[in-house]
Amino acid sequence: VREIALHVLDLLQNSVEAGASRVSVDITEDAATDRLVLEVRDDGRGMPPRIRDRVFDPFVTTRRTRRVGLGLPLLAVAARQTGGDASVESSPGRGTTITVSFGLTHLDRAPLGDMAATLVTILAANPQLKLHYRHRRDGGEALFDTEVIANQMGAVPWGEPQVALWARDAIRSGLAALPDPVSGPVRDKGR
Ligand SMILES: Nc1ncnc2c1ncn2[C@@H]1O[C@H](COP(=O)(O)OP(=O)(O)OP(=O)(O)O)[C@@H](O)[C@H]1O
Ligand SMILES: [Mg+2]
């Protein structure tokens, strides 16, 4: 199984390739509906309908180096395997939103993976990118927003190793403070 964070890396790469200057990643884990919903929204160039309508089919790509695009089709398959689905909203000049749902506790649902590593990797390669990450789990919320950080600190050199490590740890501790995942290991509460 491919971790969700690796799919997010693909989606963010697509957004960057589409010239986005701002991307938001929203993940919501909701035990009540047994859903994990991932949304990636960008302000890039968007897709013409002929691409948009087939973006989850293999073999649709606008890249020239290779004739198949696989990122989005694989993601749609992974979602449908867990009783979820994938959808896209996009038009030229209006950006793109990809929404993917998974069955939260479905046995075939991939683990979240290392979201901090994904975000830090994208930021290190694209230090100008405005990246907003919100992760909600059962009433808890973790936020990482490069615009908020830049407002406090000025331009941040995200490619600097020290800065990247700091960001990685900040994202990890935000996620660690969320309520325990329903599908995660049962923890000894100290009794
Ligand atoms: N966020 C986006 N904004 C604009 N166009 C997009 C976006 N995401 C995907 N696309 C379009 O959909 C096509 C298919 O995307 P997909 O990620 O499946 O393959 P790819 O990016 O072409 O190749 P790969 O991901 O394997 O390097 C892209 O070539 C691009 O034209
Ligand atoms: Mg791609």
Side-chain angles (χ1 to χ4, degrees), residues 18 44-56 60-62 88-96:
R45 74 176 67 90
M47 299 174 217
R50 115 193 102 78
I51 298 288
R52 181 197 58 211
D53 294 346
R54 300 182 51 211
V55 82
F56 297 117
V60 173
T61 183
T62 52
V88 58
E89 245 184 87
S90 185
S91 52
R94 308 214 34 202
T96 297

Side-chain angles (χ1 to χ4, degrees), residues 116-135:
T118 283
L119 300 181
V120 164
T121 299
I122 286 289
L123 274 179
N126 308 276
Q128 313 302 327
L129 187 69
K130 292 170 179 153
L131 184 62
H132 181 272
Y133 173 46
R134 178 173 67 165
H135 195 126

Side-chain angles (χ1 to χ4, degrees), residues 1 74-85 101-103 106-110:
V1 266
L74 283 175
L75 177 55
V77 167
R80 289 173 192 145
Q81 272 174 355
T82 68
D85 208 353
S101 64
F102 297 87
H106 195 286
L107 284 173
D108 293 330
R109 202 261 296 168

Side-chain angles (χ1 to χ4, degrees), residues 3 5 17-19 27 29 32 48 52 59 70 72 86 94 100 124 136-137 145-146 151 181:
E3 292 175 342
E17 282 163 12
I27 296 178
E29 296 175 49
R52 181 197 58 211
F59 315 119
L70 283 179
L72 287 166
R94 308 214 34 202
V100 190
R136 288 180 292 185
R137 181 185 293 146
D145 188 336
T146 62
N151 284 340

Side-chain angles (χ1 to χ4, degrees), residues 25 29 117 177 191:
V25 178
E29 296 175 49
R191 271 173 298 156

Side-chain angles (χ1 to χ4, degrees), residues 17 50 60-69:
E17 282 163 12
R50 115 193 102 78
V60 173
T61 183
T62 52
R63 66 157 61 246
R64 280 154 196 214
T65 50
R66 175 155 46 74
R67 250 178 291 135
V68 286

